[in-house]
Amino acid sequence: MPIDIDITKVARLARIGLTAEELAHYEEQLQVILEHAARVQALPTEGVAPTAHPLPMVNAFRPDEVEQTLDREEVLSQAPDREGPYFRVPPFLDE
Amino acid sequence: MDPADLTIAEAGARLRSGDLTAVDLLASVRRRASMTEAILHAYLTIDAEGATASAVEADAALQRGDDRGPLHGIPVALKDNMVTRGVETTCSSRILSGYVPPYDATVVERLRAGGAVIVGKTNLDEFAMGSSTENSAYGTTRNPWNPDRVPGGSSGGSAAVVAVGSALGALGSDTGGSIRQPASLCGVVGMKPTYGLVSRYGLIAFASSLDQIGPITRTVDDAVTLFEAIAGHDPSDATSYRGDFPDPRADLGKGVEGLRVGIVSELSGDGIQPGVAAAFQATLDRLAGAGADIREVSLPSTEYALSAYYLIAPAECSANLARFDGVRYGPRIDGATVEAMMSATRRDGFGPEVTRRILLGTYALSAGYYDAFYGQAQKVRTMVSEDFKDAYAEVDVLVTPTSPTTAFAVGERADDPLAMYLSDICTIPSNLSGDPAISVPVGLDDAGLPVGFQVLAPALGEGVMFQVAAAVERLSGFESRPALATSLGAA
Amino acid sequence: MSYEAVIGIETHVELQTASKMFCGCPTDFGAEPNTNVCPVCLGLPGALPVPNERAIEWTVALGIALGCEISQHSVFHRKNYFYADLPKNYQISQFDLPLCVGGHLEVDPGSGVRRVGITRVHLEEDTGKSTHLGGGGRIHDAEGALIDFNRSGIPLLEVVTEPDIRSPEEARAYAQELRAIVLALGISDARLEEGSLRFDANVSLRPEGADELGIKVEVKNMNSLRSLQRALAFEIERQTALLDKGEAIDQETRHWDEEAGRTEPGRSKEESSDYRYFPEPDLVPIQTNPEAVERIRGALPELPALRRARHIALGVEPAAAATMASAGLAAMFDDAVSAGADPRAAANWVTGEITAHLNRTGDDPSDLVMDGRGLAELVGMIGGGELSSTAAKEVLIGVLAGEGSPREVAAAKDLMQISDESAIVSEVDAVIETHPDEVARMKDGDERLAGFLVGQVMKATGGRADPRLVDRLIRERVGL
């Protein structure tokens, strides 16, 4: 059963700017992998609770206490573009 | 003997007896690296300055009687997905090229506190996604036993450096077998702890609910040493286990007399290479000879484990890798808008395997498909764990070959993602259940390539797991080292 | 045709915890850009979140105050969307298992009490802040943007109502009451101008009497009670006009432009509906046990509605009680009353001069240098005839300026009333002597002249004589 994949939408959601050729290539590969993965649907799982976590733990919190912050220069030294104390990015959107 | 060929335990003894200094040990390990790296390409970064400073400090500390423990002065390597303050950390990805983190991972802090000397950062499949270390933006690592073969992955660099002695031990990370499978393919010991026992803080996440850091060493004893150094609760990781766990060394020498050892029916038949099957059977015979009660058990859901894994891991990775966007760190490909910049940066920065998994995970989580894919996979995960619980009602440990095959040729599976994914069939179930597992080398196949034997135990069952692993190690008497190391050691 | 508006409100409340939601960075407003940051709130590779326990307790507290059910099992989810000021490109939020569900809030817009259903209260993290460069502030004209991550990771509560609100006035009353509760709980400074409280609303219209809902428009960017009310009024008018012309309403997101006084279509975020929520694998579930919930319930302060009722019972006008509660001045009033002040008088001062002072200076009630005891002293001095009400206003100005207690200020400024008979008698005698005609006419029965004579004495004493005492003395002297 071929699986319905809107690869253009998926790539846009993932913010990866692929060419049409690349999209077609990945779509083909995803088909193969997903057909294999779709086997999970064959397993009767009625009444089975999903596992998000291997260890049954709850309530891991931290107290509301202030801790050491990073040095701004050390942080900004890694930025691809900065302006003074800020990170700089291109404009947000063309409609 | 060249100090680079020592185990951690042996080196530790010589450092304390005064026969060896940490500086000399480091020099020896570095010499080994300089002779093997041209062939292996296992290190991405060698931190010459930092390691030398640590070795000098380790010697000085020992002199004044300040002994930090069994890793004091021991040269270890880190998979390059653990962040190191001031030392480039790339995850073998172009998207982190040149990235210098402002903080140390918790495991790095613990190694430093234990006096370890961090030699450098090892190669991996980009973001730990792969089983061959071919998916690195900075070149493929080769198998020390045969450079035409892959070292396995994703911790291929860490396994290779330990196999040749360009580190005495290393840390890897294991999401679906990424410590155990390369350990198996490189003829060394590799262990994945119970999920939550080792802090993930500072491990660049691939799949958060599956990732676990663990040791790669020459011996089981060394693996226990390295594991003990990094395990334990970390308040910076909310998924870090808070309780006590049993002493992993307590039963190390006890043997297997009377222990119930389960063979998994679903993981011992089809698809296992004859050489692997033979070495596996020989090991079972030795265990039986030593008094183990060998039984066959069934894990019926395992046939779905791989499918579930290839939905859960990509889903988590699609979110974990969203932060690499060209805004705060890493290289940027310019764009007229921030959206265009991000899309161009991510297209350029991620290799094909990572791109494939991000797309796969994005799809599996998207509206209309969540229940059929991600949701269903999470339920399969529950069933896999239930299978294990049922099995552990009957046996103390489970055993399987670590990998269905020995090291395969470079390039062989590069264009067939599904075949590559099948390399992990024996290792993935314990990532889904969160249980501990270890690979121990037990022999060579006809091509002279190492075969690994996997021991699995229930959650927090590191004690019995190490106990059986140590017995397997003794019974197998596997002491071979790759020619690449022995020829150099002799020279 | 006549339409009914159907409005639901989502309110974001920034909590005033000391540290952020998932890391130990400070939350102080106005710090130097990109200084309150660490690997976690910058989304650096390898960093992991750990939830702030106080933020969770405060969310439960608000849930209890709103009559919600507190979930025994609650989970954080990742909400995935790319945005340059969202460091991880996912927000840790809550999805189908929020901390609190199903409460209500009673509000009174002035036309009677209305019950607004609360769908849920959940906890999430705030984003960083971007400043757009160039191009007159319009996002798509900008040459770029600068990002400050200080706000990234500050705990953010989201309170979602049922579509129970029917008018902009009700919306405002709801927002005002929610703000009063948040202030009473002390979980947020609730400063609207600093964005501590932000409102989004869903608005649709339907023909009066109809049951089904119309097409819903989401209105964003309302940062004050006034703009909430104005934006909704505008939006209702806009939609009414479209429907009257027979045109369709677009299901869209619109932004309130405070200056222009209208809503504008937002950017088209076509994929925004696909947030790919999934359980945050870096965190474990929250399990609230009933004892912990009861402990939080037991520690709740008096909520605004009860407080107002109690104040009204003390004789305070309902409007004044409401003003004190919503302005965060109820505690000062209570302190004044327990220090002995007459409730009505104290309420008059709080809602009058003190509120005017806050409006004038833009200060917060917590900035006031005078406390309830000071207010009680002031009110007591007026009641005891030591201060005229005119002088009291001057004394208050001095007290609020930090010049001392009411008594100290009154003394320093020489504003104490002269209530000592012997000190006034001579002035009274002098006035009687210099105004024989007026005295004579007063004796003939012209009562109004008493006022005139009192005025003369007041003038002679610089306004400091107690006018009631002067009046009595004049009447005695004149022999009435």
Side-chain angles (χ1 to χ4, degrees):
Chain A
M1 178 191 63
I3 287 170
D4 164 38
I5 305 171
D6 182 349
I7 193 72
T8 310
K9 182 187 166 208
V10 171
R12 193 177 58 236
L13 279 174
R15 281 284 189 283
I16 305 182
L18 299 169
T19 64
E21 204 177 316
E22 289 165 334
L23 287 172
H25 171 71
Y26 283 114
E27 184 179 357
E28 207 175 297
Q29 290 188 327
L30 255 56
Q31 276 292 351
V32 175
I33 300 164
L34 282 168
E35 273 172 41
H36 188 269
R39 285 155 37 101
V40 295
Q41 293 157 16
L43 207 59
T45 52
E46 226 177 48
V48 176
T51 295
H53 247 284
L55 278 182
M57 286 173 44
V58 294
N59 295 352
F61 304 129
R62 42 171 283 275
D64 182 27
E65 284 161 12
V66 171
E67 286 162 44
Q68 185 63 44
T69 56
L70 286 173
D71 174 68
R72 180 165 71 191
E73 273 316 300
E74 193 173 356
V75 166
L76 283 167
S77 70
Q78 298 299 309
D81 191 11
R82 64 180 282 189
E83 191 164 312
Y86 296 98
F87 293 90
R88 188 184 166 127
V89 294
F92 269 45
L93 205 84
D94 59 340
E95 307 258 335
Chain B
M1 196 191 221
D2 185 327
D5 290 315
L6 297 171
T7 64
I8 293 174
E10 290 162 353
R14 292 184 53 179
L15 285 168
R16 280 168 191 76
S17 70
D19 293 349
L20 181 67
T21 64
V23 169
D24 287 343
L25 178 57
L26 175 65
S28 173
V29 159
R30 254 201 220 133
R31 201 159 47 238
R32 186 62 59 86
S34 69
M35 289 185 287
T36 52
E37 274 302 294
I39 297 167
L40 294 183
H41 187 57
Y43 275 109
L44 291 178
T45 305
I46 288 191
D47 180 19
E49 212 176 302
T52 302
S54 302
V56 168
E57 160 60 21
D59 284 332
L62 264 191
Q63 285 267 308
R64 41 169 211 270
D66 172 13
D67 188 338
R68 312 254 183 91
L71 291 179
H72 194 125
I74 302 296
V76 295
L78 297 172
K79 187 179 184 178
D80 200 29
N81 60 352
M82 297 167 212
V83 301
T84 39
R85 183 168 187 183
V87 177
E88 187 179 1
T89 301
T90 66
C91 253
S92 288
S93 182
R94 233 188 349 255
I95 211 152
L96 278 177
S97 116
Y99 174 62
V100 181
Y103 76 107
D104 276 332
T106 297
V107 290
V108 175
E109 280 181 356
R110 292 192 177 174
L111 288 180
R112 289 194 202 286
V117 173
I118 293 167
V119 185
K121 310 293 292 287
T122 61
N123 201 8
L124 63 148
D125 286 297
E126 183 178 359
F127 284 103
M129 296 176 201
S131 308
S132 67
T133 317
E134 292 169 292
N135 303 329
S136 165
Y138 306 107
T140 301
T141 294
R142 302 292 173 142
N143 191 307
W145 296 80
N146 179 345
D148 294 334
R149 305 275 170 152
V150 301
S154 65
S155 310
S158 283
V161 299
V162 172
V164 299
S166 50
L168 267 53
L171 294 187
S173 66
D174 192 314
T175 307
S178 277
I179 288 174
R180 292 162 286 159
Q181 185 259 16
S184 172
L185 270 50
C186 289
V188 293
V189 175
M191 180 247 177
K192 180 198 92 73
T194 300
Y195 184 88
L197 283 193
V198 178
S199 169
R200 294 184 296 112
Y201 191 76
L203 169 68
I204 301 180
F206 159 17
S208 313
S209 77
L210 302 162
D211 294 343
Q212 193 61 189
I213 294 172
I216 296 177
T217 55
R218 295 251 319 280
T219 66
V220 173
D221 189 276
D222 283 358
V224 180
T225 299
L226 205 41
F227 166 69
E228 285 185 301
I230 56 173
H233 180 65
D234 176 14
S236 300
D237 176 358
T239 64
S240 164
Y241 181 68
R242 277 169 287 177
D244 292 328
F245 54 94
D247 176 3
R249 200 177 278 284
D251 300 326
L252 212 50
K254 279 194 178 161
V256 291
E257 177 88 53
L259 278 186
R260 297 164 304 166
V261 174
I263 311 165
V264 181
S265 342
E266 289 83 0
L267 298 174
S268 52
D270 291 350
I272 309 289
Q273 230 172 36
V276 173
F280 180 66
Q281 187 56 49
T283 307
L284 289 178
D285 294 344
R286 289 185 202 111
L287 285 171
D293 171 9
I294 312 282
R295 305 177 180 195
E296 186 160 333
V297 298
S298 173
L299 300 175
S301 307
T302 31
E303 71 168 300
Y304 302 98
L306 190 70
S307 299
Y309 175 85
Y310 277 99
L311 292 169
I312 294 169
E316 291 185 11
C317 109
S318 71
N320 282 332
L321 271 60
R323 68 186 63 192
F324 303 101
D325 61 4
V327 174
R328 287 145 296 132
Y329 41 79
R332 172 186 293 184
I333 304 295
D334 277 329
T337 64
V338 71
E339 289 77 14
M341 179 279 281
M342 286 182 183
S343 294
T345 298
R346 289 166 62 79
R347 176 187 184 270
D348 183 73
F350 294 133
E353 180 62 29
V354 172
T355 301
R356 188 155 50 229
R357 295 205 201 182
I358 292 174
L359 295 174
L360 185 56
T362 304
Y363 174 85
L365 288 173
S366 60
Y369 305 104
Y370 182 98
D371 289 339
F373 288 101
Y374 183 76
Q376 183 71 6
Q378 281 196 314
K379 292 180 179 175
V380 171
R381 187 169 188 181
T382 307
M383 296 178 75
V384 169
S385 300
E386 296 295 327
D387 278 4
F388 274 119
K389 283 198 190 96
D390 292 346
Y392 288 125
E394 292 173 38
V395 296
D396 298 302
V397 294
L398 292 168
V399 296
T400 74
T402 307
S403 169
T405 69
T406 52
F408 47 91
V410 171
E412 188 184 309
R413 299 182 190 175
D415 294 327
D416 188 352
L418 208 52
M420 186 73 92
Y421 296 171
L422 285 167
S423 310
D424 302 328
I425 189 117
C426 298
T427 46
I428 277 174
S430 43
N431 293 90
L432 291 175
S433 67
D435 298 340
I438 187 167
S439 177
V440 182
V442 290
L444 300 176
D445 71 358
D446 291 345
L449 296 168
V451 178
F453 184 88
Q454 185 180 220
V455 182
L456 302 90
L460 306 177
E462 270 78 4
V464 68
M465 179 197 75
F466 280 128
Q467 178 187 350
V468 175
V472 166
E473 182 180 53
R474 280 195 302 275
L475 293 166
S476 305
F478 180 84
E479 288 194 351
S480 313
R481 305 212 65 192
L484 193 57
T486 48
S487 62
L488 294 166
Chain C
M1 205 201 284
S2 175
Y3 301 100
E4 180 184 51
V6 177
I7 300 167
I9 297 181
E10 286 176 18
T11 309
H12 285 99
V13 183
E14 261 189 8
L15 298 182
Q16 56 181 357
T17 47
S19 64
K20 291 185 180 180
M21 184 61 226
F22 295 111
C23 63
C25 287
T27 56
D28 50 316
F29 183 82
E32 282 292 300
N34 291 309
T35 53
N36 287 352
V37 295
C38 76
V40 178
C41 59
L42 274 177
L44 295 191
L48 295 173
V50 184
N52 184 329
E53 185 161 27
R54 180 167 294 160
I56 288 167
E57 287 171 358
W58 283 359
T59 307
V60 170
L62 181 61
I64 295 171
L66 295 173
C68 294
E69 186 189 322
I70 308 304
S71 310
Q72 284 200 22
H73 177 82
S74 181
V75 169
F76 283 109
H77 274 66
R78 289 187 183 176
K79 179 182 182 179
N80 295 284
Y81 65 98
F82 281 83
Y83 213 69
D85 56 21
L86 182 65
K88 302 184 293 296
N89 286 314
Y90 58 81
Q91 180 188 33
I92 304 179
S93 180
Q94 297 199 277
F95 181 52
D96 56 350
L97 296 166
L99 270 162
C100 319
V101 289
H104 67 271
L105 185 57
E106 285 182 347
V107 304
D108 185 356
S111 48
V113 172
R114 296 254 323 155
R115 188 182 165 104
V116 176
I118 303 292
T119 314
R120 57 189 277 153
V121 180
H122 79 238
L123 191 51
E124 59 188 30
E125 54 177 343
D126 211 343
T127 63
K129 211 167 176 172
S130 29
T131 310
H132 303 278
L133 300 168
R138 292 271 302 167
I139 285 178
H140 61 261
D141 297 336
E143 292 158 12
L146 303 181
I147 309 181
D148 171 10
F149 289 102
N150 282 350
R151 202 182 66 180
S152 164
I154 289 186
L156 205 54
L157 260 175
E158 186 174 316
V159 184
V160 183
T161 74
E162 294 289 307
D164 287 348
I165 296 166
R166 293 289 172 268
S167 70
E169 293 70 32
E170 278 179 37
R172 183 185 180 131
Y174 163 78
Q176 196 155 15
E177 185 67 7
L178 182 64
R179 182 170 181 272
I181 291 175
V182 161
L183 282 170
L185 294 175
I187 62 177
S188 171
D189 61 22
R191 293 188 202 209
L192 295 155
E193 67 286 359
E194 288 174 10
S196 302
L197 220 56
R198 313 196 279 269
F199 308 101
D200 299 332
N202 288 309
V203 193
S204 65
L205 298 189
R206 63 183 172 195
E208 202 83 60
D211 277 339
E212 70 273 32
L213 296 170
I215 290 165
K216 179 167 89 170
V217 171
E218 191 180 8
V219 185
K220 286 185 171 287
N221 197 34
M222 297 164 291
N223 295 326
S224 70
L225 301 177
R226 192 175 105 94
S227 66
L228 173 67
Q229 188 175 355
R230 283 180 73 204
L232 291 175
F234 174 88
E235 190 54 27
I236 290 167
E237 202 174 308
R238 185 188 73 86
Q239 291 185 27
T240 302
L242 283 173
L243 293 174
D244 280 347
K245 279 189 284 182
E247 287 177 28
I249 309 284
D250 283 337
Q251 176 152 6
E252 60 177 343
T253 298
R254 298 177 69 88
H255 287 261
W256 171 245
D257 183 334
E258 179 74 35
E259 243 164 80
R262 58 169 181 263
T263 63
E264 301 271 12
R267 59 207 177 84
S268 53
K269 212 159 108 186
E270 48 196 309
E271 71 256 38
S272 68
S273 60
D274 202 344
Y275 287 127
R276 289 158 287 136
Y277 281 99
F278 73 103
E280 165 56 287
D282 286 331
L283 298 174
V284 297
I286 303 166
Q287 205 171 69
T288 50
N289 66 58
E291 300 87 71
V293 173
E294 286 316 306
R295 186 175 47 74
I296 295 171
R297 191 192 305 278
L300 286 191
E302 184 183 35
L303 294 174
L306 281 175
R307 195 172 224 177
R308 281 195 304 269
R310 185 170 53 77
H311 289 173
I312 290 166
L314 284 172
V316 176
E317 291 294 323
T323 305
M324 290 195 297
S326 62
L329 290 164
M332 181 185 205
F333 167 81
D334 279 337
D335 289 348
V337 171
S338 55
D342 170 62
R344 283 166 143 312
N348 283 341
W349 280 94
V350 168
T351 57
E353 294 304 310
I354 293 172
T355 301
H357 167 82
L358 293 176
N359 291 343
R360 202 164 47 239
T361 56
D363 279 357
D364 196 73
S366 62
D367 300 330
L368 287 173
V369 281
M370 185 172 74
D371 59 8
R373 294 186 69 82
L375 178 59
E377 187 175 314
L378 187 74
V379 170
M381 287 169 74
I382 302 160
E386 295 174 83
L387 271 184
S388 70
S389 48
T390 319
K393 286 180 188 173
E394 235 184 295
V395 170
L396 180 70
I397 291 169
V399 174
L400 292 175
E403 293 166 15
S405 72
R407 194 166 291 284
E408 286 163 0
V409 172
K413 296 198 172 187
D414 213 5
L415 289 167
M416 295 291 281
Q417 277 190 154
I418 305 168
S419 306
D420 179 359
E421 210 174 301
S422 60
I424 300 175
V425 164
S426 60
E427 296 295 341
V428 170
D429 287 346
V431 165
I432 287 175
E433 205 161 304
T434 51
H435 295 82
D437 290 355
E438 286 79 0
V439 171
R441 278 159 55 200
M442 193 177 156
K443 278 186 171 158
D444 290 345
D446 192 346
E447 282 277 335
R448 286 171 308 171
L449 283 162
F452 169 79
L453 292 173
V454 170
Q456 294 305 306
V457 177
M458 292 304 287
K459 204 193 269 177
T461 57
R464 293 163 49 231
D466 179 348
R468 280 168 298 178
L469 179 62
V470 174
D471 186 69
R472 181 170 61 79
L473 289 173
I474 285 173
R475 283 169 197 275
E476 277 174 17
R477 287 291 192 276
V478 173
L480 284 174

